[in-house]
Structure formats: C-alpha cells, structure tokens
Amino acid sequence: MAFNPPPLQAAHCLAVIPARNESASVGAVVAGVRATLGCAVLVVDDASDDATAARAAAAGATVLRLPLGLGAWGATQTGIRYARRHGYAGVIALDADGQHLPATLPALFEAQARSGASVVIGTCLERLSRAKRLAWWYLRTLTGLKLLDLTSGLRLYDGRAMDILAAPEASLLDYQDIGVLMLLARNGLPVEETPVAMRERCNGHSRVFASWLVVARYMLHTTVLCIAQLDAGRRSGRLRHAVRTAC
C-alpha cells in the first residue's frame, strides 16, 4: 500500500528566504508571508553588505547571516537544514526580491493537499521570454523533466524532500534549479506545478539572466551537470544489475 502522508499545514512549516543585498524589499516580503501564512520565517542572509539582515529582523524574521556568499541554493539549503534541525514538517522557499506574492502562497499548500506531492512549484509562464522558453525546451529535452518552469524559486518541500536536499550530495549543486529537480526525480519524489501570479522584481536583476555571459555560463554548467547526473544514473543501474547477478 502506498504511503500517503497528511497534507502539510502552513503553521507547521518554515518559510525560507535566501537574500543577498535585498534590503529594499525583504522587510515587506517577510511581513507578507507572516500575515498570509502565520508561519515562522527564516531569512538566510547570503553575506549581504547592506541592511538586509536588519530589515528582515525588524519585520519579524529569524535571521542567519552567512560569513561567505554561498549563492541562492547554498543559502536555501542552509534554511532547509535549519528547518530539519528544528522539527518543521516542511519548507516553503521564496525569493526576497518581491517577485513572489504572499497572497499566492496558500495555492501551493492547496496543490500539495490535492496531489500528495513531495514538491510543489509555483509557476508563472507569462514571465518567460522567448529566449527563456527556448532554453527551457533544451533543458527539458536534455534532462527528461516534464516541468514547465524550471527556475521558479517558489517551492514547497515536504519532509521527504527536505531529507534529500539537506544531504551532502545536494551541497554539490551549483544552481538550485535543474540540479535540485534532477536529484529529487532520481529519488522518485513526485513533483507538482501550480500556476501563480508573479510580478517583476522590485530591484536588481536575475542571477541567471543578468547578461548573455551569465546565461551562457548557466547553460554550460547545467549541461555538464545533466550529463554527469545521467552518467551517474547509468553507472548506478549497472552496479545494481551486477549485484543482482552476483546474488
């Protein structure tokens, strides 16, 4: 019989917000999450040199300050590990730049309750430019992932996903997007997408689409990661076959 865990309750989850130099928006994001979900909020300050930590704390968040920048995924993983250590049932991850609207967060919990998925991604296809759509088509073809939006940072993780993403293997990922999704898929965790509204970030620029050079580097790194993951999967399959044969 399949194991069907109870739906996640927002009150038992931790909102994790990775932030680097987001003092202009992080306070409003924290306040919005607390007002909408009523859950605890953790801001992981990724070595900011502005008032990000102070603004987040003033809005009611717990703040972890990283002495060295780990990037968006490193900061998010830090928050996931914190959540596991403190006994939270799940994590809802969102950006600090104001793109993700607090009013849309309950939709992720509703989708998780309906589907029983371990991961729910908030997607907004309207934000994808023609170039992004072409990039995602390439990456979907390469990875075999059947998802529409591969880089949304708005995600709900249950305890099973938290265990996988807190492990040392997940620390090797350069980007949270494709690498995390491939790791979850390789472990057989169900992933659901639900459409949500998003807005333009309040300040700064995308870490992936900041320039054509950054885009090229992202695509190259992700391609290498995908090839490495696919090769690891083939080698693991050959090993399991060899063990069964030997037995």
Side-chain angles (χ1 to χ4, degrees):
M1 181 179 295
F3 172 64
N4 294 311
L8 289 173
Q9 302 296 319
H12 301 151
C13 295
L14 178 69
V16 172
I17 305 175
R20 181 177 177 86
N21 294 335
E22 298 286 5
S23 61
S25 55
V26 68
V29 173
V30 170
V33 173
R34 295 183 69 213
T36 302
L37 295 181
C39 66
V41 180
L42 175 72
V43 171
V44 184
D45 183 359
D46 192 31
S48 297
D49 54 19
D50 66 359
T52 292
R55 299 279 175 83
T62 299
V63 179
L64 293 181
R65 301 194 68 178
L66 302 180
L68 298 173
L70 297 181
W73 170 242
T76 301
Q77 187 186 52
T78 298
I80 291 172
R81 288 173 170 171
Y82 178 97
R84 288 179 75 250
R85 189 174 300 119
H86 289 82
Y88 288 97
V91 159
I92 184 161
L94 67 156
D95 295 345
D97 58 18
Q99 283 191 88
H100 303 145
L101 304 174
T104 67
L105 301 182
L108 276 71
F109 287 91
E110 293 166 5
Q112 194 274 333
R114 287 195 306 270
S115 65
S118 290
V119 183
V120 178
I121 303 172
T123 63
C124 181
L125 299 185
E126 290 78 9
R127 72 190 179 93
L128 299 183
S129 65
R130 187 174 181 180
K132 285 184 180 180
R133 291 176 187 271
L134 179 61
W136 292 180
W137 172 84
Y138 166 75
L139 293 173
R140 280 195 296 268
T141 301
L142 184 64
T143 63
L145 294 170
K146 306 301 182 183
L147 300 171
L148 297 175
D149 190 339
L150 297 175
T151 63
S152 172
L154 180 57
R155 299 180 181 182
L156 176 62
Y157 300 112
D158 73 359
R160 292 171 294 176
M162 289 165 60
D163 288 343
I164 293 169
L165 298 181
E169 182 182 8
S171 301
L172 302 176
L173 302 175
D174 285 330
Y175 295 97
Q176 65 171 319
D177 311 310
I178 306 298
V180 165
L181 294 173
M182 290 185 69
L183 181 60
L184 293 169
R186 200 172 76 222
N187 282 274
L189 266 64
V191 180
E192 184 79 5
E193 290 181 286
T194 191
V196 297
M198 294 186 189
R199 64 186 175 197
E200 294 295 324
R201 56 183 295 133
C202 298
N203 61 291
H205 51 71
S206 168
R207 65 187 176 87
V208 175
F209 290 88
S211 69
W212 284 110
L213 178 60
V214 175
V215 171
R217 185 173 62 186
Y218 175 82
M219 295 299 290
L220 176 61
H221 284 187
T222 304
T223 299
V224 172
L225 173 65
C226 292
I227 294 172
Q229 292 286 334
L230 292 172
D231 182 63
R234 286 194 294 268
R235 285 188 281 109
S236 177
R238 288 197 296 268
L239 177 61
R240 287 194 297 271
H241 175 75
V243 170
R244 287 196 298 268
T245 302
C247 294

